[in-house]
Amino acid sequence: GKGKSRKDVVHHIEKLLEQPVNVSLIGGREVTGILKGFDLSLNIVLDETREYVRDLTDFSKRNLIPDPEEPDTLVEETRFLGVVVCKGSLVTVVSPYDGT
């Protein structure tokens, strides 16, 4: 981290409880869901979780698929996971979900 203390990180995450968040994990996986809880090891509990499916040709990008409603428009492909615990040692970023 950038010299942030654990206390700062906990305070940052606490403010996001019960709100939609994006969580980035080591290895490039990204999920979004409602932040339900966390502990001091930064294990994170999410509900209504969706994982962004990666583009297999370029793992740094999210995969795009045609929107079922508007086939001319591409949308990010997600996989619904429900309730998920993200292991604290794998979490790299927790940020407010801004819809992008």
Side-chain angles (χ1 to χ4, degrees):
K2 309 184 182 66
K4 269 197 189 309
S5 74
R6 170 118 333 171
K7 207 170 77 177
D8 290 343
V9 172
V10 165
H11 185 68
H12 163 72
I13 295 178
E14 218 162 34
K15 289 194 294 211
L16 298 172
L17 276 169
E18 297 301 331
Q19 294 179 50
V21 293
N22 270 339
V23 179
S24 299
L25 303 169
I26 287 174
R29 295 175 80 172
E30 269 183 288
V31 296
T32 180
I34 309 293
L35 180 61
K36 291 311 234 180
F38 66 95
D39 63 17
L40 290 178
S41 304
L42 300 184
N43 296 308
I44 288 176
V45 181
L46 298 176
D47 194 5
E48 298 172 41
T49 312
R50 290 187 170 279
E51 177 180 7
Y52 291 101
V53 178
R54 309 315 293 180
D55 178 338
L56 291 177
T57 57
D58 180 354
F59 201 71
S60 70
K61 294 201 180 86
R62 296 173 181 178
N63 199 38
L64 298 175
I65 55 171
D67 186 331
E69 321 275 290
E70 301 177 42
D72 294 344
T73 311
L74 289 178
V75 292
E76 291 169 336
E77 183 184 2
T78 59
R79 182 184 297 128
F80 188 72
L81 303 176
V83 176
V84 166
V85 178
C86 302
K87 199 163 155 35
S89 55
L90 297 178
V91 171
T92 56
V93 181
V94 179
S95 57
Y97 177 73
D98 57 6
T100 59

